[in-house]
Amino acid sequence: MKVFDTHIHSEGRSVEDLEEMARGGVYKAVTCAFYPIVPEYPETLLDHFRKLTEFEVERGRSAGMEILPALGVHPRCIPPRYEVVIGRLEEFECVAFGEIGLETGSEVEVDVFVEQLKLAMKMDKPCIIHTPKRNKVEITGKILKILEDLGFPEDLAVVDHATEDTVEEILKAGYFAGLTVQKGKLSPEEVERIVSKYGFDRFVINSDTGFDRAEKLATVKAIERLGFDRNDLEKLAFKNAERIFQM
Amino acid sequence: MKVFDTHIHSEGRSVEDLEEMARGGVYKAVTCAFYPIVPEYPETLLDHFRKLTEFEVERGRSAGMEILPALGVHPRCIPPRYEVVIGRLEEFECVAFGEIGLETGSEVEVDVFVEQLKLAMKMDKPCIIHTPKRNKVEITGKILKILEDLGFPEDLAVVDHATEDTVEEILKAGYFAGLTVQKGKLSPEEVERIVSKYGFDRFVINSDTGFDRAEKLATVKAIERLGFDRNDLEKLAFKNAERIFQM
């Protein structure tokens, strides 16, 4: 089964790792912007974006994987003068803004998130929206309220790292939910329970493979064990993602 | 045989790769500063330095490998206003300046190199000095002339990526030579011929493992196949490096 992994951080992976993922079925992946320390300078993120769109895309190509960059200011690495970054986000080619979202839900995080959502609405750009491990239900609620208040288009938001506790609310609000199969996030069994209950139309799947230890082929393995109609499995594996990100 | 790999770019490697290196004998490695595109902003390198000294050191620790950062402006990624970077290099903790050196030998490269060497002399800081693949003999000669003109201390320079064509000149000038065992650099057989001829006292060994495909345990394998006295092998494997970088 070929899989479009909608959320990785390719920078945390060697070129041999990317080759292994490509050989295992991950033909395409969105690599999300993230800087693993809080940058002291907004300029660092501008060069980071160019690194993703040039170097990482080329590294993916040489490994046999199509890497599509998602760019933006992650809530865990907001630099001083972040408005400089958001003000120049339009200049870079990317398939989505991401990952953006909330971690603690602080005032500055909300400001950074909202400004990026407004730009996304203007540009008709999909957004990959991070939800945190801590206070997941509460912060997901806060994110959905922000999206609703903005009248954010339903087909432009993937609310990511969804769980059995948050998926219903995300789907009710009309957005896509991202299922992250990884230790500490969803198990393959949880993915199975979720799609058994809610179907396949509003989900994408990802591994969040990056700087931490990871099961690189978690997405492929999670889908291959599911006993559903092939057409449904393909929606989860790549068809929904192709529709969202290939506009 | 335990090995101190004196030149890697840990950022190009997953945490599992670092674990594999540590398990294979690479108990310690110098990770050298390098940004894989030319940064548009000097600030990018300042955050890069902090990333190496904080995030990469911690990532190494979690993989069982002591990662020691070498910081500096690499000749292939000189940003505009590079004097901002060099002017703040003293603020960061590192075991060496590196990798610094020359790629094409252009005027700006020479200026960046010389300014960093002068600072290293002032701070008594070892330097890991890159020599290029193209025009290696000529550019190595230019590097040695610069070191000589500055009266650069013999024990503070590792002239890296040495080959059978350049090693004699490096040793005659009194400096350490770095032997990089990797496809496209030295083969284990070349390493053997070099140490058979020139002994073990003025060499360190490294793999340059980073963003490209690499043999991660190239250093360990190159040393284990050598039929020399254990004390000599240990000089190449870690004793010389411990002396140079643990000051």
Side-chain angles (χ1 to χ4, degrees), chain A residues 154-167:
Chain A
E154 293 182 352
D155 285 351
L156 288 187
V158 176
V159 181
D160 219 336
H161 316 322
T163 63
E164 291 182 89
D165 291 334
T166 62
V167 70

Side-chain angles (χ1 to χ4, degrees), chain B residues 7-20:
Chain B
H7 184 148
I8 68 169
H9 298 281
S10 59
E11 288 185 302
R13 293 286 140 186
S14 63
V15 67
E16 294 93 332
D17 282 1
L18 299 177
E19 277 175 344
E20 188 186 326

Side-chain angles (χ1 to χ4, degrees), chain A residues 10-18 51 55-56 59 211, chain B residues 8-15 17-18 31-32 34 36 51-52 56 59 209-214 216:
Chain A
S10 59
E11 288 185 302
R13 291 289 140 184
S14 64
V15 66
E16 294 94 333
D17 282 1
L18 298 177
K51 177 170 179 257
F55 186 70
E56 288 301 293
R59 217 161 60 92
F211 297 97
Chain B
I8 68 169
H9 298 281
S10 59
E11 288 185 302
R13 293 286 140 186
S14 63
V15 67
D17 282 1
L18 299 177
T31 194
C32 293
F34 174 71
K51 178 170 179 257
L52 293 181
E56 287 301 293
R59 216 161 60 93
T209 303
F211 297 97
D212 294 327
R213 282 160 195 80
K216 295 186 282 290

Side-chain angles (χ1 to χ4, degrees), chain B residues 81-101:
Chain B
R81 297 183 289 120
Y82 57 78
E83 63 280 2
V84 171
V85 185
I86 300 173
R88 293 193 48 191
L89 205 40
E90 275 188 80
E91 296 172 25
F92 298 88
E93 274 197 41
C94 62
V95 295
F97 289 164
E99 52 184 310
I100 61 173

Side-chain angles (χ1 to χ4, degrees), chain A residues 21-94:
Chain A
M21 290 174 78
R23 270 197 311 269
V26 181
Y27 69 111
K28 196 179 279 199
V30 175
T31 194
C32 293
F34 173 72
Y35 202 78
I37 56 169
V38 179
E40 283 186 6
Y41 308 97
E43 290 83 0
T44 296
L45 291 187
L46 298 175
D47 272 327
H48 172 61
F49 295 165
R50 208 160 45 84
K51 177 170 179 257
L52 293 181
T53 58
E54 295 176 9
F55 186 70
E56 288 301 293
V57 167
E58 180 49 42
R59 217 161 60 92
R61 190 175 296 134
S62 88
M65 181 195 293
E66 187 179 353
I67 286 189
L68 307 165
L71 306 179
V73 182
H74 187 293
R76 280 212 306 272
C77 47
I78 298 172
R81 297 183 289 119
Y82 57 79
E83 63 281 2
V84 172
V85 185
I86 301 173
R88 293 193 50 191
L89 205 42
E90 275 188 80
E91 298 172 24
F92 298 88
E93 275 197 41
C94 62

Side-chain angles (χ1 to χ4, degrees), chain B residues 164 179 186-200 222 225-228 236:
Chain B
E164 290 182 270
L179 302 178
L186 293 181
S187 67
E189 293 72 25
E190 286 172 304
V191 171
E192 182 169 14
R193 286 202 299 270
I194 289 171
V195 293
S196 300
K197 191 163 172 189
Y198 301 101
F200 292 82
R225 65 182 286 287
L226 293 174
F228 292 88
L236 181 61

Side-chain angles (χ1 to χ4, degrees), chain A residues 12-231:
Chain A
R13 291 289 140 184
S14 64
V15 66
E16 294 94 333
D17 282 1
L18 298 177
E19 278 175 343
E20 189 186 327
M21 290 174 78
R23 270 197 311 269
V26 181
Y27 69 111
K28 196 179 279 199
V30 175
T31 194
C32 293
F34 173 72
Y35 202 78
I37 56 169
V38 179
E40 283 186 6
Y41 308 97
E43 290 83 0
T44 296
L45 291 187
L46 298 175
D47 272 327
H48 172 61
F49 295 165
R50 208 160 45 84
K51 177 170 179 257
L52 293 181
T53 58
E54 295 176 9
F55 186 70
E56 288 301 293
V57 167
E58 180 49 42
R59 217 161 60 92
R61 190 175 296 134
S62 88
M65 181 195 293
E66 187 179 353
I67 286 189
L68 307 165
L71 306 179
V73 182
H74 187 293
R76 280 212 306 272
C77 47
I78 298 172
R81 297 183 289 119
Y82 57 79
E83 63 281 2
V84 172
V85 185
I86 301 173
R88 293 193 50 191
L89 205 42
E90 275 188 80
E91 298 172 24
F92 298 88
E93 275 197 41
C94 62
V95 295
F97 289 164
E99 51 185 310
I100 60 174
L102 301 179
E103 176 71 25
T104 64
S106 69
E107 203 174 322
V108 59
E109 283 185 11
V110 170
D111 187 50
V112 168
F113 182 42
V114 168
E115 289 307 311
Q116 295 183 98
L117 290 174
K118 285 182 181 168
L119 185 60
M121 289 173 75
K122 194 184 99 181
M123 295 175 68
D124 211 23
K125 184 75 84 179
C127 291
I128 295 172
I129 300 171
H130 167 88
T131 63
K133 187 172 281 189
R134 185 187 288 254
N135 299 328
K136 169 136 351 231
V137 174
E138 179 201 334
I139 301 286
T140 300
K142 190 162 182 168
I143 285 169
L144 294 173
K145 177 77 169 56
I146 288 170
L147 292 171
E148 191 193 337
D149 288 349
L150 286 171
F152 197 82
E154 293 182 352
D155 285 351
L156 288 187
V158 176
V159 181
D160 219 336
H161 316 322
T163 63
E164 291 182 89
D165 291 334
T166 62
V167 70
E168 190 157 321
E169 207 182 357
I170 296 167
L171 298 186
K172 270 190 187 159
Y175 300 108
F176 287 96
L179 302 179
T180 305
V181 201
Q182 201 56 251
K183 211 179 152 193
K185 297 213 165 77
L186 293 181
S187 68
E189 293 72 26
E190 287 171 305
V191 171
E192 183 170 15
R193 287 202 298 270
I194 289 172
V195 292
S196 301
K197 189 163 175 190
Y198 301 101
F200 291 83
D201 288 347
R202 300 300 285 179
F203 292 105
V204 294
I205 196 162
N206 58 69
S207 68
D208 204 8
T209 303
F211 297 97
D212 294 327
R213 282 160 196 80
E215 169 56 81
K216 296 187 281 289
L217 291 170
T219 56
V220 179
K221 289 176 187 164
I223 288 176
E224 284 183 343
R225 66 182 287 287
L226 293 175
F228 292 88
D229 174 73
R230 188 167 180 92
N231 185 47

